[in-house]
Amino acid sequence: AARDMLLKSAEIWTKPGYKSKSDPDYHIDEEIDAIYRKIRTIPDIKITLAGVWLWVEGDTKPHKEVFRSLGFQWAYKKKAWAWRPA
């Protein structure tokens, strides 16, 4: 259900105006879905989609290297990991 909601929320980002200028076949929804699939099985975390940002809260410390390797950054004030497209 969470994946379906994520993909539905990301539908607006697949419009031609949201494609990367350097890669005309790039769609943000595919990138978000790929990241979501890699982190969805991590226990005790909460994943939130806000626009094209993914926020991860909860017991993330044991998995910080996973988040770093996926391009997440630690948001100190929010005490959460954040990912957004480049």
Side-chain angles (χ1 to χ4, degrees):
R3 180 180 177 277
D4 292 340
M5 185 220 47
L6 175 68
L7 290 176
K8 184 174 180 163
S9 297
E11 284 176 4
I12 61 167
W13 304 106
T14 62
K15 294 178 182 174
Y18 291 101
K19 291 182 182 179
S20 169
K21 291 178 182 174
S22 62
D23 181 1
D25 295 323
Y26 169 81
H27 292 280
I28 188 65
D29 64 324
E30 294 169 357
E31 187 173 5
I32 291 171
D33 185 49
I35 298 231
Y36 172 76
R37 287 174 177 267
K38 291 176 183 176
I39 63 173
R40 70 180 180 187
T41 59
I42 297 174
D44 302 321
I45 64 169
K46 176 185 171 190
I47 303 168
T48 304
L49 175 66
V52 294
W53 289 68
L54 281 174
W55 290 91
V56 180
E57 302 170 278
D59 187 19
T60 61
K61 190 170 185 175
H63 310 283
K64 67 181 179 181
E65 292 306 319
V66 171
F67 295 115
R68 284 185 182 150
S69 71
L70 293 171
F72 281 81
Q73 295 182 353
W74 178 249
Y76 178 76
K77 289 184 180 181
K78 292 190 177 222
K79 303 285 189 238
W81 288 95
W83 177 91
R84 65 179 174 88

